[in-house]
Amino acid sequence: MDAWSRFLDAFFKWQLIERYLPAILDGMAVTVEIAAAVVITGILLGLVLAILRAFRILPLSALIVIFADMLRALPPLVLVLLVYFGLPSVGINLPSFAVLWLVLSCVLAAFAEEIFWAGILSIPKGQWEAARSTGIGFVSTLAYIVLPQAVRLTVAPLTNRTLAIAKNTALGMVIGVSEILSQATTGQSFAGNATPLTMGAIAYVILFIPVVVLGRWLETRFAWRRA
Amino acid sequence: MTSNRPPILEVRGLRKSFGHLEVLRGIDLEVLPQELVFIIGPSGSGKSTLLRCCNRLEEPTGGSISIDGVDLMARSTDINAMRRRIGMVFQSFNLYPHMSALGNVALALRRVLGRKRTEAEALALAALARVGLAEKANAYPAELSGGQQQRVAIARALALGPKIMLFDEPTSALDPELVGSVLKVMRELKAGGMTMLVVSHEMRFARDAADRVIFMDHGLIVEEGTPEQIFSGPREVRTQAFIAEIAR
């Protein structure tokens, strides 16, 4: 057997592709579900935290900063294991799917909060002053003047961070969430062949390339009209 | 000058400190209805801070301010309601870049006065027409020249029907050839009976449009009088030095 067929046999074995395709497709569905749930709750929670921080209530801001710094410092895998194996000891039993969703949402929220906050801070003071000088209140100024501009600035960094966190759904493997990587490694152990892992890799590319493209499109779409 | 009518703006013993730096050291000032009062003075004299205290964008450290008889500093005063009656125009325009000219002008009408969209836009369009920019209603700030942007900013303040307009160096950020269009609008406002308090370096405008000129230095009003008095025969040494300096 020449090198080329050995390579194909190790990574692209046709019988294995056929055998494990249904499992990988199931895994893709699970990955999409968790990733979508994480993106929605993570970004919304991050936005809410950034808005709360804008009120500059000292104890509240301190809590938000601690939350954001802790969750950005800890490796997500550590959090996943800690929550999954720790919560049952205090009588809380969450399904592994829920643990993964909860942890990744909080991690994304921590990063998103920092990104939104940086966006809010980058809006010139004059924008606040102009709005306040026409009698528009703090909350409305935030809602109609500051956030629309801040959010536009955050599209690029937020897309990158969201992608990075969404890919962490692969951590579900260690707590038995049947997402792509989980299905692929199971297939690999049974077959003794890397082909299911190749399929898993391809599945990730298929899922996440469109998100990268969408991010690029959003970036141009949200740049407001210039002369 | 209109007399016997209570002042629109009344400032008494106004003080403002930033940390240890005392920027305003006891200002007394009245602006009567339809009067155009012009404030001049070297940079750092407290002109802009005085203006910004008049709608509490800066919080005074002491003294009192009342607008149309309402104490601006009183706890019971709704500052947002008062700010609608105090138009402010900034050196850097501060238009909202994500909204059209019409959107910029209509926003407060909708969110503060609670007007319906169509009603707010009709009022906004009328305000834009007053500054000669009705045809630019759908343009975004980035598509407008500096002079046009500043006129939209004037329309934004004007649309709320203010009792007094505060101008904080409205032409300082403009290219020289665009200054005239903004001053023209200010002259029209004056002719229309608007009460105005203006901080600016446009001395020619002060000469022919102001009712009264105030010279400030180091947080105090040094001298005030008609433009003729201040520009041609200032009494105080500091005023004389400043006038000589800007005349060069």
Side-chain angles (χ1 to χ4, degrees), chain B residues 66-144:
Chain B
S66 53
I67 298 274
D68 209 19
V70 180
D71 180 359
L72 210 61
M73 304 302 297
R75 276 188 165 276
S76 56
T77 300
D78 176 356
I79 185 63
N80 286 331
M82 289 308 293
R83 280 177 175 157
R84 296 193 323 242
R85 325 309 310 268
I86 311 168
M88 183 148 197
V89 176
F90 302 85
Q91 179 176 355
S92 48
F93 327 138
N94 298 345
L95 291 184
Y96 315 131
H98 59 303
M99 293 181 189
S100 67
L102 192 70
N104 267 272
V105 181
L107 184 74
L109 291 166
R110 293 185 64 193
R111 302 301 163 195
V112 178
L113 297 181
R115 308 275 185 166
K116 288 198 196 71
R117 188 194 186 95
T118 47
E119 198 187 347
E121 286 182 349
L123 286 168
L125 202 59
L128 284 172
R130 278 180 77 180
V131 299
L133 286 175
E135 82 282 6
K136 294 284 186 187
N138 294 317
Y140 280 73
E143 300 165 333
L144 298 171

Side-chain angles (χ1 to χ4, degrees), chain A residues 24-40 97 166 169 178-180 203-204 206-208 211:
Chain A
I24 296 289
L25 288 175
D26 286 348
M28 281 176 85
V30 173
T31 294
V32 167
E33 279 172 42
I34 302 180
V38 165
V39 168
I40 292 167
F97 181 101
T169 49
S178 52
E179 44 69 61
I180 295 172
Y204 279 113
I206 291 171
L207 284 188
F208 287 110
V211 184

